[in-house]
Amino acid sequence: MKNRTMAKKFGAVMMTAALTAGLAACGGSSDSTSDAASDASSEAAETAEAGTEYNVGICNYVDDASLNQIVENIQERLEEIGEEQNVTFTVSYDNCNADATVMNQIISNFQADEVDLMVGVATPVAMAMQAATEGTDTPVVFSAVSDPEGAELVESNDAPGANITGTSDYLDTSAVMDLIFAADPEADKIALLYDAGQDSSTAPIEAAKAYLDDKGIEYKEYTGTKTDEVQIAAESIVADECDAIFTPTDNTIMTAELSIYETFAEAGIPQYTGADSFALNGAFLGYGVDYANLGRETADMIAEILLEGADPATLAVKTFDNGTATVNTETCEAIGFDFETVKAAFEPYCTAVQEITTAESFE
């Protein structure tokens, strides 16, 4: 087990050079409080004392393109706010790599260090932080929690009710399913690929099954809890000759994506997923929120709590409009689709269709 030295200090950021302008969201925030939260850094000068140091502990659930993108953008945005408001955010960051024992040790380290605020990236970390801080006044901000209410992290998205709030990467499952049949109206056997132990997959998988039941379309569930099991599931999907695959914002499948996408591409089976990072790692299509923007919005919530004294109990969870479909053009060609044709088919269902090619991480 790692000890307290496992937390890697990213250091003070006061008076750093100003960074580039913020990334745009894939869609507007659907939460009525988002404008106020986005203004946190501009208003903070009135309430935060110049020169104040704030210690923030961030724990990431697993090393994958989506979650890493969130962490990077939280840190960059906090640097910007620190520069703008003449305060210091000292960030302690670690990744538990889906190990519950390590996760709890990281959180214990944050508590021993008396951090001013904890950040939990992904549902399991948020839940562990919620349990560890229950009955205390340590604020917790989560990110990439698909169903905060379903996970019982908050009483409601509008009024969280305790010391925890954050940003959600809620997936509009019906919108993704619509794309499957826009590209292939004759598809009649759909694979549902996910980790049954991932809370983020529960609601979208149920929604996908309801959607397919309504259409009278056959489907089969394929699951795995680690990469080798996901690889076996991928081979089973090919053997069963499925027409398309749906994967929600599932961290286990995301971690395994680079090891399975070629299996699907060689078999000519398109995989439709719940985040652009899947497409970055080889899946045919990713649909959903902009994870870079999700990280920046999370940082704005951190600033609103620490600099302005906002109460997490009343600070509404931020959700975002889904609408951007990201197509991996290399995989598109490999499975025999013409990009311009599928783009035209998708456009009535999306606010945007963008291209990407395979890589391990975003630049």
Side-chain angles (χ1 to χ4, degrees):
M1 183 186 302
K2 297 182 182 180
N3 58 26
R4 290 184 59 183
T5 61
M6 71 191 297
K8 298 176 283 293
K9 296 289 184 179
F10 279 82
V13 299
M14 183 174 66
M15 300 303 291
T16 55
L19 298 179
T20 55
L23 299 174
C26 68
S29 170
S30 61
D31 189 282
S32 62
T33 66
S34 61
D35 291 340
S38 298
D39 291 338
S41 63
S42 63
E43 298 175 357
E46 300 177 4
T47 55
E49 183 179 349
T52 302
E53 178 180 358
Y54 299 96
N55 294 307
V56 177
I58 302 177
C59 180
N60 193 359
Y61 180 61
V62 72
D63 182 19
D64 73 37
S66 290
L67 303 189
N68 292 347
Q69 194 178 24
I70 291 170
V71 172
E72 290 165 6
N73 281 275
I74 289 173
Q75 294 178 132
E76 289 179 3
R77 180 61 182 144
L78 288 179
E79 285 193 27
E80 293 177 4
I81 296 170
E83 169 71 14
E84 292 164 3
Q85 306 306 332
N86 193 23
V87 298
T88 301
F89 291 101
T90 298
V91 176
S92 297
Y93 167 77
D94 218 323
N95 186 325
C96 69
N97 291 306
D99 186 316
T101 301
V102 175
M103 182 195 308
N104 290 327
Q105 183 62 57
I106 293 170
I107 295 169
S108 294
N109 291 343
F110 291 160
Q111 291 177 311
D113 291 339
E114 298 183 344
V115 297
D116 296 300
L117 182 147
M118 294 188 197
V119 180
V121 182
T123 303
V125 183
M127 294 176 70
M129 287 182 172
Q130 177 193 44
T133 62
E134 186 176 6
T136 75
D137 58 0
T138 301
V140 175
V141 175
F142 56 75
S143 191
V145 172
S146 300
D147 186 6
E149 293 179 359
E152 298 184 352
L153 286 168
V154 297
E155 292 179 6
S156 72
N157 286 341
D158 290 335
N163 65 314
I164 184 167
T165 187
T167 59
S168 173
D169 59 348
Y170 164 78
L171 176 66
D172 185 350
T173 303
S174 294
V176 184
M177 305 304 288
D178 285 342
L179 298 179
I180 294 176
F181 298 99
D184 182 7
E186 303 303 315
D188 60 10
K189 188 174 184 179
I190 308 302
L192 306 177
L193 177 61
Y194 66 103
D195 178 355
Q198 287 282 321
D199 291 317
S200 60
S201 292
T202 303
I205 288 296
E206 290 305 312
K209 291 192 286 187
Y211 178 103
L212 294 169
D213 284 337
D214 286 344
K215 292 179 70 71
I217 301 293
E218 179 185 358
Y219 60 84
K220 185 175 179 180
E221 297 172 65
Y222 301 82
T223 63
T225 61
K226 50 188 178 180
T227 295
D228 58 347
E229 294 175 355
V230 174
Q231 290 171 327
I232 293 170
E235 292 165 2
S236 296
I237 290 170
V238 172
D240 289 344
E241 298 182 342
C242 295
D243 294 313
I245 304 151
F246 168 67
T247 297
T249 50
D250 188 300
N251 292 312
T252 300
I253 309 304
M254 178 67 247
T255 301
E257 190 63 39
L258 284 165
S259 68
I260 63 173
Y261 81 92
E262 290 178 319
T263 299
F264 298 143
E266 290 169 4
I269 305 175
Q271 183 187 11
Y272 296 77
T273 68
D276 60 355
S277 50
F278 284 91
L280 176 76
N281 282 181
F284 165 62
L285 179 141
Y287 181 92
V289 305
D290 179 337
Y291 280 85
N293 183 67
L294 197 71
R296 295 180 66 83
E297 293 284 353
T298 304
D300 283 344
M301 295 187 82
I302 294 167
E304 189 168 3
I305 292 167
L306 293 181
L307 303 188
E308 295 187 56
D311 184 358
T314 58
L315 186 59
V317 172
K318 285 189 180 180
T319 58
F320 304 86
D321 293 339
N322 295 297
T324 298
T326 301
V327 175
N328 185 310
T329 51
E330 295 169 336
T331 300
C332 182
E333 181 179 3
I335 64 178
F337 282 178
D338 174 70
F339 174 72
E340 293 301 327
T341 300
V342 296
K343 180 179 180 182
F346 291 159
E347 281 178 338
Y349 301 95
C350 303
T351 56
V353 179
Q354 61 187 23
E355 304 174 45
I356 206 167
T357 55
T358 306
E360 287 192 30
S361 60
F362 293 94
E363 294 181 357

